[in-house]
Amino acid sequence: MNPTFKSTIFLKIFFLASFIFLVNSQTVLNDTVSQNKDPYYPSIFLDIANFRALKSKTKYAKGDNALVNLNVYSSIDNPDWKQGVFVPRVDEFTILEVEGSGAAYTMKNDGTRDIWISLSFGYNQTESPNRYFIKKSNLETNRFNAGRFVGSYSAIIQLNRGVIDQIFWDDGCGECTDADCFDGYNCTIDMNANANNCTNISDCNIKVYVVWSGTDANGYNMASISSLPSRFSAFSLKKVYLTTSGVVNTRY
């Protein structure tokens, strides 16, 4: 991963069947979370009372815990969607990673199914537009998508005086050709050509970089939006969409 992002809080969720694991960006109380010695892979959130409080919370200040759900939809799975629940802090630049999604989806991508994601905030307070992670091949247009996936996304959570306003994506395909872009939104990665067939399986997991914009409950402006990965493209020798996936250290 690019050293530029070294101070990022890294949240991982293990993606197993229909189970939901709650992952916290910090140690809330020593007796309510399992301890994890790696600061980049935070502890599992176990305090159900605090979780319920977060579900009903509607106003946020900088540093507050917030409930962010990463929704994964599939055209063939039954049930056809799964949800990862994360608890990042407001106005901290954070990576949400769905551990196991590379093995479950990317490595099995033969071009016959669609996988798409969205982010939702709080308890059904708002949801972002959908974005493809994997997309079916289109034989009529000779668009073959087997082995192709989106390496990472950047999401902006916007607050207005601490109240959720919207979640939108920092989209763009300026670093890739139209053939390598999904619907004009995201550059894609070829599992073989760029990701070394997912030898490092984390490179092929679903990843969302989260920043914040707007103002908090106290009227303070959000600062983390300045950490959007796309803002570093002018200073990077590597393509940002490959760097944020992690594949630049494999084959490119």
Side-chain angles (χ1 to χ4, degrees), residues 13 15 17 69-75 77 79-86 97-99 101 104-105 113-120 127 130-134 153 205-208:
I13 187 162
F15 197 63
N69 309 301
L70 203 166
N71 310 299
V72 182
Y73 304 90
S74 170
S75 58
D77 281 355
D80 63 355
W81 72 284
K82 296 180 174 68
Q83 185 177 72
V85 182
F86 297 88
E97 180 176 347
V98 182
E99 184 73 15
S101 54
Y105 293 136
R113 61 176 171 172
D114 293 324
I115 307 291
W116 63 98
I117 70 163
S118 72
L119 283 189
S120 53
E127 186 172 359
N130 294 330
R131 290 293 181 264
Y132 280 107
F133 175 63
I134 287 169
Y153 308 82
N205 285 336
I206 298 171
K207 302 180 189 70
V208 179

Side-chain angles (χ1 to χ4, degrees), residues 16-233:
L16 302 173
S18 59
F19 292 99
I20 294 178
F21 291 80
L22 307 182
V23 182
N24 195 358
S25 63
Q26 60 175 327
T27 300
V28 180
L29 293 172
N30 290 336
D31 59 348
T32 62
V33 296
S34 63
Q35 298 302 302
N36 189 330
K37 295 181 181 180
D38 188 340
Y40 296 103
Y41 295 84
S43 306
I44 297 176
F45 194 55
L46 300 177
D47 190 331
I48 300 302
N50 280 350
F51 173 64
R52 289 173 178 162
L54 285 173
K55 284 176 63 176
S56 59
K57 188 176 177 69
T58 58
K59 204 164 188 176
Y60 301 84
K62 286 191 176 192
D64 284 354
N65 290 330
L67 194 65
V68 177
N69 309 301
L70 203 166
N71 310 299
V72 182
Y73 304 90
S74 170
S75 58
I76 64 170
D77 281 355
N78 186 22
D80 63 355
W81 72 284
K82 296 180 174 68
Q83 185 177 72
V85 182
F86 297 88
V87 188
R89 282 181 171 179
V90 173
D91 204 28
E92 288 191 351
F93 177 40
T94 308
I95 306 172
L96 312 181
E97 180 176 347
V98 182
E99 184 73 15
S101 54
Y105 293 136
T106 312
M107 294 187 69
K108 296 178 181 179
N109 177 18
D110 59 2
T112 62
R113 61 176 171 172
D114 293 324
I115 307 291
W116 63 98
I117 70 163
S118 72
L119 283 189
S120 53
F121 187 88
Y123 187 63
N124 298 326
Q125 292 178 35
T126 191
E127 186 172 359
S128 73
N130 294 330
R131 290 293 181 264
Y132 280 107
F133 175 63
I134 287 169
K135 195 173 181 182
K136 288 180 184 177
S137 296
N138 188 330
L139 301 183
E140 293 182 1
T141 60
N142 292 320
R143 179 69 183 259
F144 301 102
N145 292 324
R148 189 162 289 281
F149 66 101
V150 176
S152 68
Y153 308 82
S154 293
I156 302 168
I157 300 176
Q158 183 169 297
L159 302 181
N160 183 4
R161 297 290 299 186
V163 177
I164 182 67
D165 186 18
Q166 62 177 323
I167 303 173
F168 56 97
W169 301 103
D170 183 39
D171 294 320
C173 288
E175 293 186 316
C176 61
T177 65
D178 290 344
D180 293 336
C181 181
F182 279 170
D183 299 332
Y185 294 130
N186 298 103
C187 290
T188 60
I189 291 172
D190 184 278
M191 187 178 75
N192 178 43
N194 302 124
N196 202 21
N197 287 314
C198 298
T199 301
N200 181 2
I201 193 62
S202 179
D203 293 345
C204 300
N205 285 336
I206 298 171
K207 302 180 189 70
V208 179
Y209 289 73
V210 175
V211 300
W212 302 74
S213 68
T215 54
D216 76 349
N218 299 310
Y220 294 114
N221 291 322
M222 299 291 160
S224 60
I225 192 169
S226 63
S227 298
L228 268 177
S230 62
R231 298 197 173 188
F232 297 95
S233 60

